[in-house]
């Protein structure tokens, strides 16, 4: 049931990784601040979209899980 959701999230992760790689390259070059700002805006937009989709699709599934450990001890502060 979650295959399509997981596939979409994996695609997002690949796009985010590519954007972060490009942003790292831009940071180490003599790029203008305006271009850095555009890269940050792009990263911000896809991250916001990604987390909104992820939370919307996985919230009920995760809430239904019966954990044997405290989530804060496993994941840290959320």
């Amino acid at each position: 049931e979650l295959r399509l959701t997981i596939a979409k999230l994996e695609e997002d992760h690949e796009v985010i990784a590519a954007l972060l790689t490009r942003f790292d390259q831009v940071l180490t070059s003599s790029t203008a601040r305006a271009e850095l700002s555009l890269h940050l805006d792009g990263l911000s937009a896809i991250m916001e979209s990604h987390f909104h989709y992820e939370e919307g699709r996985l919230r009920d599934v995760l809430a239904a899980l019966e954990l044997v450990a405290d989530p804060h001890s496993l994941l840290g502060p959320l």
Side-chain angles (χ1 to χ4, degrees):
E1 183 178 326
L2 290 175
R3 284 186 190 146
L4 293 177
T5 298
I6 292 170
K8 166 78 169 90
L9 293 172
E10 288 175 336
E11 286 177 19
D12 282 1
H13 289 186
E14 290 175 12
V15 170
I16 292 166
L19 289 172
L20 288 171
T21 297
R22 179 64 186 131
F23 184 67
D24 186 52
Q25 293 168 345
V26 169
L27 280 175
T28 58
S29 69
S30 58
T31 302
R33 286 185 180 260
E35 188 173 340
L36 288 173
S37 181
L38 288 174
H39 283 280
L40 284 175
D41 289 345
L43 280 167
S44 175
I46 194 163
M47 294 298 291
E48 186 175 336
S49 172
H50 174 79
F51 287 130
H52 179 75
Y53 177 80
E54 186 174 56
E55 290 170 0
R57 298 292 295 177
L58 299 179
R59 181 181 302 125
D60 293 340
V61 173
L62 294 174
L65 292 176
E66 293 184 28
L67 299 175
V68 294
D70 174 48
H72 294 288
S73 66
L74 291 174
L75 304 172
L78 301 174

